[in-house]
Amino acid sequence: MIALHESDGGSESSEIDSDFDRYETKRKASCAALFHAAESAALMRGEDRIADQGPITLLALDTGAFAALASAKKAFDAARQQWRSGVSIHAAIGAWFELECAQLPSTGVGPTGRCDLYPARDRMRQFRATPDGAAIEQLLVQLFRSAASSRELARLRGGRNVQLDQFDLHHAHVVFNEERREFAVVMHCAEHPQYHSQLLPAALGFCQVGSPLTPTRALLATRNVLFFERAAPRSLAAVRAAHPRARPALLRGSVATLFERDLGQPLFDVVFLDTPTVAPLAFLYHQPST
């Protein structure tokens, strides 16, 4: 996050606050524009063509994601209808998840066994085996797999395929944009690359140990992969961070990162490692009532 330094001078402090407010306003407006860019690109593209629109490149979903879309749309629509009737959006999606928290392994992953990918180990929940819960879980799984199988995304990343692991892609943020009445998914790739004195001069903890992911400008510039449930429901949207219209949307002081809260109200994070023994687990920002 952004750290503002304290100042003894009141006028200097006011100038800093004013600058920060302008930065916040511009960043959020630039993030809102991504919805419109994705919408425009979706109108331009054919059935299986890749389309560019400003800072967005639309990527075709794989067949598994297409198959999951129809059922997930029903779940999105049902939650949206509850929200429009006055139910909070957090309550509207509560039935997607089990009430009991999941039991997690006592150790983390990776060479050290100390890499913990879960936001809160005592508050992770599985998706409920109901039509809506299963539909959302399946869609999210297929979105991860679409990112990993996308040849165009690999091309944008300098020839490196997305890997579903601790070093590259393993989590996503699901948000609800009230102004647009739309759900969106924000995936952050290249989460734990190797240390690099120029491109990534940061120690990222135990999850970075043993990383095979060498930072490059192309890799870091395509960290943000989005799914817009209504603006471009048949595609993933790769944000090209080096584009002039994308740069104002990025979080200051970060490595080419879109802040999920700028795209909508955070609902839950999902952690997914594509292994037979680990189910997708969600961290809810508001816990469901028991």
Side-chain angles (χ1 to χ4, degrees):
M1 297 299 290
I2 302 159
L4 295 180
H5 298 287
E6 294 183 2
S7 169
D8 293 330
S11 61
E12 183 180 347
S13 177
S14 298
E15 289 175 6
I16 292 174
D17 290 344
S18 178
D19 176 66
F20 180 70
D21 289 343
R22 286 194 297 270
Y23 154 72
E24 287 268 286
T25 299
K26 186 174 183 179
R27 194 186 74 230
K28 291 176 181 178
S30 298
C31 282
L34 296 176
F35 284 92
H36 301 294
E39 226 164 22
S40 298
L43 291 173
M44 290 170 53
R45 65 173 289 174
E47 184 67 19
D48 295 309
R49 287 177 47 243
I50 294 160
D52 289 338
Q53 181 65 25
I56 290 284
T57 296
L58 290 191
L59 314 167
L61 294 177
D62 65 17
T63 54
F66 273 125
L69 275 174
S71 296
K73 183 180 185 306
K74 292 179 182 177
F76 286 135
D77 286 344
R80 185 166 28 242
Q81 185 58 41
Q82 288 188 59
W83 172 76
R84 294 180 68 178
S85 71
V87 175
S88 77
I89 192 62
H90 295 281
I93 67 167
W96 296 353
F97 307 97
E98 296 289 355
L99 290 177
E100 296 296 322
C101 294
Q103 295 295 313
L104 300 180
S106 58
T107 60
V109 298
T112 66
R114 300 176 71 181
C115 168
D116 197 344
L117 301 176
Y118 298 104
R121 295 182 65 83
D122 60 342
R123 290 177 57 186
M124 303 302 298
R125 298 175 188 272
Q126 290 184 309
F127 289 85
R128 190 173 287 176
T130 59
D132 285 355
I136 297 300
E137 177 183 35
Q138 185 63 14
L139 176 63
L140 290 168
V141 166
Q142 295 303 330
L143 293 180
F144 277 101
R145 290 176 175 165
S146 284
S149 65
S150 173
R151 288 180 292 181
E152 176 61 13
L153 183 54
R155 185 190 69 80
L156 293 173
R157 284 165 44 108
R160 183 180 281 272
N161 291 321
V162 170
Q163 301 297 315
L164 299 179
D165 61 20
Q166 73 182 74
F167 306 114
D168 202 348
L169 175 61
H170 57 262
H171 80 281
H173 311 274
V174 179
V175 304
F176 182 67
N177 187 294
E178 293 190 356
E179 183 177 344
R180 294 182 58 90
R181 302 179 180 182
E182 178 169 4
F183 293 89
V185 180
V186 183
M187 294 188 283
H188 289 139
C189 303
E191 191 69 8
H192 297 116
Q194 298 170 8
Y195 178 93
H196 189 285
S197 59
Q198 277 89 41
L199 297 179
L200 191 69
L204 303 177
F206 293 117
C207 293
Q208 189 183 34
V209 175
S211 177
L213 207 56
T214 303
T216 64
R217 286 183 172 80
L219 185 81
L220 298 178
T222 47
R223 288 199 63 227
N224 305 282
V225 179
L226 313 178
F227 172 73
F228 297 110
E229 165 251 340
R230 300 177 87 174
R234 299 171 66 84
S235 310
L236 289 176
V239 180
R240 301 193 306 279
H243 192 281
R245 283 165 53 193
R247 286 196 292 267
L250 303 175
L251 195 61
R252 185 187 290 174
S254 72
V255 180
T257 302
L258 286 177
F259 186 30
E260 59 275 7
R261 192 177 293 273
D262 289 336
L263 290 163
Q265 183 179 1
L267 302 179
F268 62 93
D269 295 348
V270 61
V271 177
F272 177 62
L273 296 171
D274 200 3
T275 66
T277 58
V278 182
L281 294 176
F283 169 77
L284 279 63
Y285 285 89
H286 289 253
Q287 299 302 295
S289 302
T290 56

